[in-house]
Amino acid sequence: MTSSDCLALTICDIEAERNCKNALKTFAKETVQFVEDLKGFLDSEKSKVNKMWQLSYKIQLLSSLTFKCLNFTRNPLNLYPPEVTETVLTEMVSELNSIVNGHGSKLIDVESHLNNLTKSHRKFTSSCFQLDWTLDLGIIRGNESQKPLKYFMNTGNDVITESKLITLNLRTAFDAIQLADSITFENYKKTFVLADDFLNLLNEFLQYHVKLNHFPV
């Protein structure tokens, strides 16, 4: 930006650009935080999801055997004596329910982090529309180390859309869980795999996170 350009700017223009730079930095930082939280959740809870699936399968199997016992007066696989089968089932259901509830609380944390990301994105988008796009502003134009503002707007929209979709898929599959239906846990396990396209999108977007500091505020 030349000295004549600076003279052409109003105080409102300068303030709007400063606000946009700050909003972009905040959005980038919230994106980093959300991705770290999401990956941390998926990595740390994967073993618990497998445990839930195993318990659900056992409950499903034992419930089926209990039904057969009532009809044929014997346990086909002799897993448990008929008199203790109900007790074992109750203990398994209690254990599974406890794990599911604890896991659900951590999923709520992920949703809370997504909410923070969404708020920061709204503020960033709003700040972009406060700019006078007819001016030759550095943040709009970009430079050798900084992508143009439209890149962050477009890619930011993609990041938000994909992040919401991933979190929604987790929530939908989790809410569909039935303790005695192992298939519902299998379906939930599938949501723990992040698509390569999403990871590539994040890597491309976040590689410019550090470079945001090239723009003085």
Side-chain angles (χ1 to χ4, degrees):
M1 185 179 298
T2 65
S3 57
S4 60
D5 291 328
C6 292
L7 293 175
L9 295 179
T10 66
I11 294 178
C12 289
D13 293 328
I14 296 173
E15 185 66 22
E17 184 178 20
R18 180 182 293 111
N19 290 340
C20 189
K21 291 173 183 177
N22 286 331
L24 176 53
K25 289 180 180 180
T26 299
F27 174 52
K29 290 178 181 178
E30 288 292 345
T31 301
V32 171
Q33 186 62 56
F34 172 74
V35 172
E36 290 178 350
D37 293 338
L38 177 62
K39 287 184 176 180
F41 169 78
L42 297 178
D43 291 341
S44 65
E45 292 297 299
K46 188 174 296 183
S47 61
K48 291 183 181 178
V49 173
N50 287 328
K51 174 69 172 178
M52 289 189 289
W53 175 83
Q54 292 170 0
L55 279 171
S56 177
Y57 183 79
K58 291 178 181 178
I59 291 171
Q60 187 175 341
L61 177 62
L62 194 55
S63 297
S64 174
L65 294 178
T66 300
F67 175 78
K68 291 179 180 179
C69 285
L70 293 175
N71 287 274
F72 300 105
T73 67
R74 67 186 183 88
N75 187 325
L77 299 182
N78 294 316
L79 291 178
Y80 300 102
E83 61 272 14
V84 300
T85 299
E86 194 64 34
T87 300
V88 173
L89 263 175
T90 300
E91 291 176 351
M92 285 185 176
V93 170
S94 178
E95 180 182 3
L96 177 56
N97 197 49
S98 176
I99 297 175
V100 168
N101 288 338
H103 178 82
S105 296
K106 294 185 178 181
L107 178 56
I108 291 175
D109 290 339
V110 173
E111 292 171 326
S112 176
H113 297 150
L114 174 64
N115 187 47
N116 292 337
L117 176 62
T118 302
K119 288 180 179 178
S120 68
H121 179 254
R122 287 200 198 103
K123 289 182 179 179
F124 165 58
T125 301
S126 176
S127 70
C128 291
F129 290 115
Q130 298 302 314
L131 297 173
D132 183 347
W133 285 73
T134 65
L135 298 175
D136 185 28
L137 298 175
I139 192 171
I140 294 176
R141 180 182 67 254
N143 55 39
E144 65 279 358
S145 61
Q146 176 70 45
K147 289 281 190 178
L149 185 57
K150 282 189 176 180
Y151 165 83
F152 288 105
M153 294 179 69
N154 294 334
T155 310
N157 286 335
D158 292 339
V159 168
I160 284 293
T161 299
E162 292 299 320
S163 298
K164 286 182 176 180
L165 181 60
I166 289 171
T167 308
L168 177 61
N169 287 340
L170 284 167
R171 168 54 64 185
T172 301
F174 179 77
D175 287 346
I177 283 176
Q178 299 293 324
L179 297 187
D181 186 353
S182 61
I183 293 179
T184 62
F185 285 92
E186 289 182 16
N187 292 335
Y188 184 53
K189 284 172 62 176
K190 294 176 183 177
T191 65
F192 268 58
V193 179
L194 295 179
D196 289 339
D197 288 346
F198 177 66
L199 295 176
N200 292 335
L201 173 67
L202 289 173
N203 288 334
E204 180 185 350
F205 180 71
L206 294 178
Q207 69 176 309
Y208 297 101
H209 168 57
V210 176
K211 296 180 181 179
L212 293 176
N213 292 320
H214 284 282
F215 276 134
V217 177

